[in-house]
Amino acid sequence: MDLDDRSRVNWRGGDSSVWPDDRGWRRRVVIALMLVGLLGSLALHFVIGWADALGALTFTATATCC
């Protein structure tokens, strides 16, 4: 997008305190969904990683034993 071409830019006014939309509920729903996804991903990574790390330590202990 060419910002120098004034026919392509539509400035509606406002400053840094103005959000692009008047629908604050939609922004909050999106934030909530992203947070749920982030926490779900964190939980899966923790559970899978913890089991994998414990298994790797056990495997290392048995491989170097005898």
Side-chain angles (χ1 to χ4, degrees), residues 7-43:
S7 66
R8 295 278 190 183
V9 178
N10 184 13
W11 179 252
R12 297 180 184 175
D15 57 5
S16 63
S17 66
V18 178
W19 283 90
D21 62 345
D22 295 332
R23 298 175 187 91
W25 62 269
R26 183 168 37 177
R27 184 174 54 250
R28 288 182 184 93
V29 167
V30 168
I31 290 171
L33 288 174
M34 288 175 53
L35 187 60
V36 167
L38 179 68
L39 292 176
S41 177
L42 176 74

Side-chain angles (χ1 to χ4, degrees), residues 31-61:
I31 290 171
L33 288 174
M34 288 175 53
L35 187 60
V36 167
L38 179 68
L39 292 176
S41 177
L42 176 74
L44 285 174
H45 280 73
F46 182 75
V47 169
I48 293 170
W50 186 257
D52 191 30
L54 290 179
L57 292 175
T58 306
F59 176 75
T60 304

